[in-house]
């Protein structure tokens, strides 16, 4: 059976049967390679396929009327892309590769068969989408109601947890102290509603406060608890409850 990063991600949450693993692996039978900064989908493009991100890092964003960019999500191996295809005929967002990436496309009609023959998988996928929705809600609330320093700190903690999850260690052991988020200060700003200059100032403040250390693009968390308090951060990978999922067939 071929490896499947999506099966790995779902398998970190629930114990998969061989049939469920095979169904998820089938989603990755085709591959499409993207160079860094390549656009997979643009806003208003016709949607006929969904994708699983197999390798690399991507982001989704929308362009505002004044030309500014609002980043909505950062995506890692095992993430579903273009899930709006389940409800809409055109894309509400642009999907772009932040690094050289590999995506696995499949027709959205494949999801109907997955829901029909593997209802537990359908429920788990729905739960994963809810985790993404809650994380986006947290960031939306932060943009509207918290300080610039809290927004930057919160995004860095979110990225650290997502990188940890993409390494197939979800909910296993402590999060690493050092990590490379893989994004620029401009991209941090576009995700938090700040300019790159303001982001740099907030990073310096976090360093001065003894919460972070920087070495190029690598960050080291010096005081996890204080950084989380500064960010008003809630670890959404803690306290997950999948006990309601149906039993495998």
């Amino acid at each position: 059976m071929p490896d499947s990063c999506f099966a790995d991600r779902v398998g970190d949450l629930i114990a998969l049967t061989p049939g469920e693993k095979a169904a998820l692996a089938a989603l990755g039978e085709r591959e499409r390679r993207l160079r860094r900064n390549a656009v997979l989908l643009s806003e208003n493009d016709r949607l006929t396929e969904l994708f699983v991100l197999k390798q690399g890092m991507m982001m989704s964003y929308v362009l505002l009327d004044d030309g500014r960019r609002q980043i909505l999500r950062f995506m890692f191996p095992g993430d579903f892309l273009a899930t709006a295809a389940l409800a809409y005929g055109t894309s509400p967002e642009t999907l772009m590769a932040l690094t050289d990436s590999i995506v696995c496309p499949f027709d959205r009609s494949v999801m109907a068969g997955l829901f029909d023959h593997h209802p537990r998988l359908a429920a788990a996928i729905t739960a994963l989408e809810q985790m993404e929705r809650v994380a986006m809600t947290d960031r939306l609330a932060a943009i509207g109601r918290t300080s610039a320093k809290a927004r930057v700190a919160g995004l860095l903690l979110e990225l650290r947890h997502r990188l940890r999850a993409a390494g197939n260690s979800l909910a296993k052991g402590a999060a690493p102290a050092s990590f490379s988020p893989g994004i620029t200060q401009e991209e941090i700003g576009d995700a938090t509603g700040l300019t790159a200059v303001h982001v740099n100032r907030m990073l310096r403040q976090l360093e001065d406060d003894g919460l972070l250390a920087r070495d190029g693009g690598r960050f080291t968390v010096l005081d996890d608890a204080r950084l989380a308090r500064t960010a008003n951060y809630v670890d959404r990978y803690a306290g997950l409850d999948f006990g309601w999922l149906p039993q495998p067939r």
Side-chain angles (χ1 to χ4, degrees), residues 5-16 24 121 124-125 128:
C5 57
F6 189 49
D8 287 342
R9 186 176 183 204
V10 178
D12 275 338
L13 304 175
I14 61 173
L16 296 173
L24 292 178
L121 280 185
I125 291 169
L128 280 173

Side-chain angles (χ1 to χ4, degrees), residues 2 5 12 29 119 129 132 150 152 156 158-159 191 211:
C5 57
D12 275 338
E29 290 179 344
E129 286 298 303
E132 296 294 340
V152 172
L156 290 175
E158 178 188 341
L159 288 172
L211 302 178

